[in-house]
Amino acid sequence: MDRRQFLGRAAGTVAGAGTIAWLGHYFLGEPAWAGDDAAKDAIAAMGNVADAYRRAHGLGKPLLVLVIPKNDEQKRGRGHVFGEALNHADQGLYLDLALCEIVCAPVLEITKQLKGVKIKGEPLMLLVETEADAARVVPVDADARYENVYEIDKAEEAAKQRIEKVAAALRAAVAPNREMLAARAALAEKRLPAEDVQAIRNTLAAKIKWSDTLIDRGAAIVRLVAEDPNATAPALLERLAAIVEKRITAAPPPGAKWAKECGCGTEVEGGEPEAVACGMGFVPEISQRFLWFFTK
């Protein structure tokens, strides 16, 4: 389905901010898994920043941290901003996400696990570069605050604008030009195993069948060749974007859960419903699936 058509057809009505906030506190409380120490430890490990940084370093990719706000009132709004972008992005945003390893974490955990890193405030995202021995952090912010809007058309338009702002901010940080893309491809070639690099080259030369995992791992190398103005390969770019879309939307980034709400009812995917859908309010379809940030 064409995403622009989808966005245009997204429908629903947004309930008042005060009503939803009150119902959320009344019904939700902590996530269902918060009372189980073993489950909490397992979920926390999923969002381990140091482990994610090591994975990114090994792939020659930057680490993109989706910052979890400290304030509980802000968690849901930011989760919706990320949910809108990750579920309803255009091809360009997925291609930029392909260049990154992704994790969700609060600033406190980032500074605790990545020694020497200093962060001011709570930007929307952080791009942690891995080209040097020490992590280098670049704030990635956008004026994309989630707000409840009563009119359906205005709610949909506001969501589209948030997606565009997130995409523009990420593009400016990750791959604003071909020179940056070339640098990322060079780092990937340096860090990836030699056999993987050769397999990627064979794939690009159409000598072997495409491997989704391989294309994803070597995304910068693939993009550099596919976006060459003298030899474009739109089919390969479409394939890479589709691979990343499937990976991100099928399973949430480490450190979060996918959840869905249509009004006062919230359901965490893979778990029991966190609230009873009472039918008192609705959320436009484009904003319904969001990242649910746990609190330990």
Side-chain angles (χ1 to χ4, degrees):
M1 178 185 291
D2 183 278
R3 290 193 171 277
R4 284 168 296 192
Q5 293 180 6
F6 171 82
L7 295 178
R9 291 197 296 265
T13 302
V14 179
T19 302
I20 292 301
W22 180 84
L23 288 168
H25 282 295
Y26 183 83
F27 286 114
L28 296 177
E30 286 189 299
W33 55 84
D36 185 328
D37 288 340
K40 285 195 295 185
D41 290 342
I43 294 171
M46 289 171 55
N48 188 293
V49 179
D51 285 350
Y53 179 82
R54 283 190 284 270
R55 290 195 302 271
H57 188 279
L59 294 170
K61 293 185 177 186
L63 174 64
L64 181 65
V65 183
L66 307 184
V67 177
I68 301 175
K70 182 179 180 179
N71 186 302
D72 285 339
E73 293 293 332
Q74 298 174 8
K75 285 185 173 68
R76 183 177 293 270
R78 189 165 288 197
H80 276 290
V81 171
F82 289 136
E84 291 164 349
L86 297 181
N87 285 285
H88 305 298
D90 61 12
Q91 178 174 290
L93 180 53
Y94 286 125
L95 290 176
D96 288 335
L97 291 170
L99 302 180
C100 308
E101 184 72 14
I102 307 174
V103 71
C104 303
V107 166
L108 181 61
E109 284 302 310
I110 301 166
T111 55
K112 182 190 299 183
Q113 297 185 43
L114 299 182
K115 301 303 180 183
V117 166
K118 295 182 179 180
I119 302 166
K120 185 177 180 180
E122 290 182 325
L124 186 67
M125 299 175 283
L126 291 166
L127 192 69
V128 185
E129 297 288 2
T130 64
E131 81 281 6
D133 291 336
R136 179 170 62 88
V137 177
V138 179
V140 182
D141 223 335
D143 181 18
R145 183 184 298 273
Y146 181 84
E147 296 179 352
N148 286 319
V149 180
Y150 294 96
E151 295 87 348
I152 295 174
D153 292 342
K154 289 184 178 180
E156 294 169 357
E157 182 58 32
K160 294 177 192 177
Q161 290 179 8
R162 286 191 292 270
I163 293 172
E164 291 174 359
K165 289 176 179 178
V166 170
L170 187 62
R171 169 56 61 92
V174 176
N177 51 51
R178 189 162 177 80
E179 289 73 23
M180 177 68 82
L181 182 58
R184 297 203 183 282
L187 184 60
E189 287 204 24
K190 179 180 178 181
R191 296 275 176 77
L192 288 170
E195 57 269 25
D196 283 3
V197 175
Q198 187 57 54
I200 291 170
R201 289 173 178 165
N202 289 341
T203 299
L204 293 171
K207 294 181 179 179
I208 62 174
K209 290 183 178 180
W210 287 348
S211 161
D212 287 358
T213 300
L214 197 60
I215 291 173
D216 199 357
R217 283 169 60 83
I221 303 171
V222 172
R223 276 190 60 179
L224 187 65
V225 173
E227 293 180 2
D228 187 332
N230 298 317
T232 57
L236 192 54
L237 289 176
E238 291 173 5
R239 178 69 174 270
L240 176 59
I243 291 168
V244 175
E245 178 183 8
K246 180 179 179 180
R247 168 166 58 82
I248 291 174
T249 58
K257 289 280 188 179
W258 277 124
K260 188 172 183 179
E261 66 175 359
C262 300
C264 62
T266 298
E267 181 178 356
V268 179
E269 295 181 9
E272 295 297 324
E274 294 299 312
V276 177
C278 64
M280 292 172 61
F282 295 93
V283 176
E285 187 174 353
I286 189 174
S287 303
Q288 287 180 5
R289 196 171 190 236
F290 68 105
L291 288 180
W292 175 260
F293 296 130
F294 66 93
T295 53
K296 198 171 181 183

